[in-house]
Amino acid sequence: MQKNSFPILISLLAFGVVATFIFSLTMGNASISVVQAIKDLLSHTPSLHQTVVWEIRLPRVLLAILVGATLGLAGAAMQGFLRNPLAEPGILGVSSGAAFGAVLVLYFGLATSVWYLLPVAAILGALVALVLVYLLAGFRSSVLSLILAGVAINAIAGAMIGVALNFAPSLFAMQEIVFWLMGSLANRNIHHVYIAAPFIIVGWVLLLSRYRFLNALSLGEETASTLGFSPLRERNLLLAGLALCVGASVAVSGSIGFVGLVVPHLLRPLVGHTPGRLLIASALGGALLVLGADILVRQLDVARELKLGVVTSLVGGPFFLMLILKTRSRWI
């Protein structure tokens, strides 16, 4: 990588996010002027333009950025921390815990009673999953023990979601659970942004602030320790950040897979395989990918919108297969 290529890469990604953000605001079934919406907002004039842009499109676009950036950033952090290119944000069971918390609310039909109950239940599910991982593995356990505990929590949460689907009180409840698990940003409002953004931003700060540790860790745990880092403290901060931002993202979007796996892989060679630099690049790349995927699903059949998680899986599945084939070619 050239010395000055990193600022250029970040600038290009940031420009792509801003351009896609503006383009996404103009997309929709109704012919709405964003400029007119801004004028109406500034002049305090109620209008259809203002309502559609600020109350329908803007929350969806903001959530796409928050969720995409979270998944990209968390994927890069986990791959750097575990030093495993196949690691992804849900490896410690946080995503499954959040999904199970939301499924409980949907199963008992509580999602329509209070709008914030579902995202709050998902965030609590993520935090409970992280606590269980620590209780299973121990606070001073090795990384391998944490991963094994995360696999166990993933399996248990997945099984409980299966039980909820099996004994769903009605076909409508089953459909609601399945559609939520597929991941979507449809029918979200600004309140979803308000409830998720604080947790996500705190999680981002915790993950981004560990960039020096991740750079040192790429040289080995012993080297990181000799440079003055406390592996236990750094690990706890990383995992706390992961639980906060990933749990809050799953709470408002459902399960959206492969973003945290694909984006760091695509950008790693462009940042010189430096874990610290990969964090901010992956955050911007993840936001760009989810924004683009959301624009795509909005262009398809309006009556039955394709779920966002399905689109990212359609992109991530073949990429994952290509990664396996590439790895196998090294073994032969």
Side-chain angles (χ1 to χ4, degrees), residues 280-301:
I280 185 67
S282 295
L284 292 170
L288 192 56
L289 177 61
V290 174
L291 270 173
D294 189 53
I295 290 175
L296 178 63
V297 300
R298 288 159 64 186
Q299 301 310 304
L300 301 178
D301 187 0

Side-chain angles (χ1 to χ4, degrees), residues 153-231:
I153 295 299
N154 262 325
I156 293 170
M160 296 307 294
I161 291 172
V163 170
L165 283 171
N166 196 89
F167 295 107
S170 66
L171 287 176
F172 176 76
M174 180 187 292
Q175 186 184 51
E176 198 175 20
I177 292 172
V178 170
F179 280 175
W180 188 87
L181 289 174
M182 287 181 178
S184 175
L185 295 175
N187 301 319
R188 304 302 192 266
N189 55 53
I190 197 66
H191 297 295
H192 288 90
V193 178
Y194 292 154
I195 198 167
F199 294 96
I200 289 176
I201 291 172
V202 172
W204 286 359
V205 171
L206 287 174
L207 294 180
L208 289 171
S209 63
R210 302 301 104 197
Y211 77 96
R212 288 193 179 91
F213 170 68
L214 292 175
N215 285 340
L217 193 62
S218 66
L219 303 174
E221 289 187 13
E222 291 185 1
T223 303
S225 299
T226 57
L227 290 174
F229 293 102
S230 168

Side-chain angles (χ1 to χ4, degrees), residues 114-138:
V114 185
W115 70 267
Y116 55 80
L117 198 55
L118 191 147
V120 168
I123 291 171
L124 289 176
L127 295 175
V128 169
L130 185 65
V131 170
L132 289 176
V133 166
Y134 267 110
L135 291 177
L136 283 172

Side-chain angles (χ1 to χ4, degrees), residues 257-258 262 266 289 293 296 309-321:
F258 285 105
V262 172
L266 290 175
L289 177 61
L296 178 63
V310 176
V311 174
T312 58
S313 295
L314 286 174
V315 174
F319 180 84
F320 193 63
L321 180 62

